[in-house]
Amino acid sequence: MKRNIVLCGFMGCGKSTVGRLLAELTGYTFSDSDEVIERAEGRTIKQIFAENGEEYFRRLESDTVKRLSEGSGLVISTGGGVVLNAENVRLLRETGFVVYLRVSPETVIKRLRNDRSRPLLMRPDRDKAVKELMGNREPLYKAACHAVTDADRGARETARDIMSLYFDKS
Ligand code: S3P
């Protein structure tokens, strides 16, 4: 059995909420890659993007993935763009059971309607941006994961599904 459970998927798919519940269910330790970065930098993701740009953030993200992959007994919630880097995916897959939380663009648009913390969605044409970005990333999430779960449902139901996938298939 893989030593960690890794949650990946688009912004707003519920990785953090589901991850916390999953950690409670499994007794594993919850770790959120974006939170680790924010704590280490002493500023928000939004500030990091604004002050140093996306490329800088991606380097921090890859460093964090490396470090978290060394751990065990973790539920790791990743940022939506983690799959853009092949080395991130290789490490996460090697050490963890990677689950893709699949959501519809409509769910994301609804859940993030009032969100101002995600730089990539701070655009006047946000709905279009969600659909485009999601379309581009869908193949990457699919290729990165060991299993897919439907995350349009409630977080508790999704967490329970991931737990059985992990114990049955990992
Ligand atoms: C990003 C997703 C965000 C965060 C950053 C970039 C992305 O994480 O890492 O804003 O590229 O999709 P969440 O998926 O937790 O929102």
Side-chain angles (χ1 to χ4, degrees):
M1 185 149 66
K2 298 280 187 180
R3 60 180 198 254
N4 298 316
I5 306 175
V6 177
L7 307 185
C8 75
F10 201 76
M11 294 172 265
C13 72
K15 295 172 298 248
S16 304
T17 312
V18 170
R20 282 199 179 82
L21 290 170
L22 191 57
E24 270 173 34
L25 289 171
T26 53
Y28 282 20
T29 304
F30 177 68
S31 190
D32 182 313
S33 151
D34 283 345
E35 272 177 28
V36 171
I37 294 170
E38 289 186 334
R39 241 181 289 127
E41 287 281 302
R43 51 192 178 141
T44 62
I45 302 291
K46 192 177 172 176
Q47 287 170 319
I48 299 171
F49 266 73
E51 291 163 13
N52 300 88
E54 179 172 353
E55 227 177 275
Y56 177 83
F57 168 76
R58 296 296 173 202
R59 279 202 295 276
L60 297 177
E61 186 172 49
S62 293
D63 293 345
T64 306
V65 163
K66 262 188 219 115
R67 209 141 25 84
L68 290 176
S69 297
E70 286 165 10
S72 60
L74 299 178
V75 173
I76 302 172
S77 164
T78 61
V82 79
V83 292
L84 297 171
N85 177 304
E87 178 63 7
N88 290 346
V89 172
R90 191 190 66 77
L91 276 173
L92 291 168
R93 278 182 64 87
E94 193 176 282
T95 57
F97 180 64
V98 181
V99 182
Y100 168 29
L101 280 68
R102 192 166 189 285
V103 274
S104 65
E106 290 72 28
T107 299
V108 172
I109 291 164
K110 197 160 69 187
R111 285 185 190 162
L112 299 184
R113 187 172 295 135
N114 298 314
D115 180 81
R116 297 283 170 271
S117 69
R118 290 166 170 94
L120 297 180
L121 299 182
M122 291 305 284
R123 302 167 32 163
D125 57 345
R126 166 180 283 222
D127 295 9
K128 191 164 154 254
V130 166
K131 286 182 185 153
E132 273 177 16
L133 254 188
M134 199 186 256
N136 294 340
R137 288 187 178 172
E138 169 85 7
L140 299 176
Y141 294 131
K142 277 195 185 148
C145 74
H146 295 107
V148 184
T149 189
D150 168 12
D152 279 326
R153 343 173 241 193
R156 200 160 286 280
E157 214 182 321
T158 307
R160 271 198 223 104
D161 185 44
I162 296 173
M163 186 157 95
S164 28
L165 288 168
Y166 177 59
F167 287 111
D168 293 351
K169 297 200 177 149
S170 172

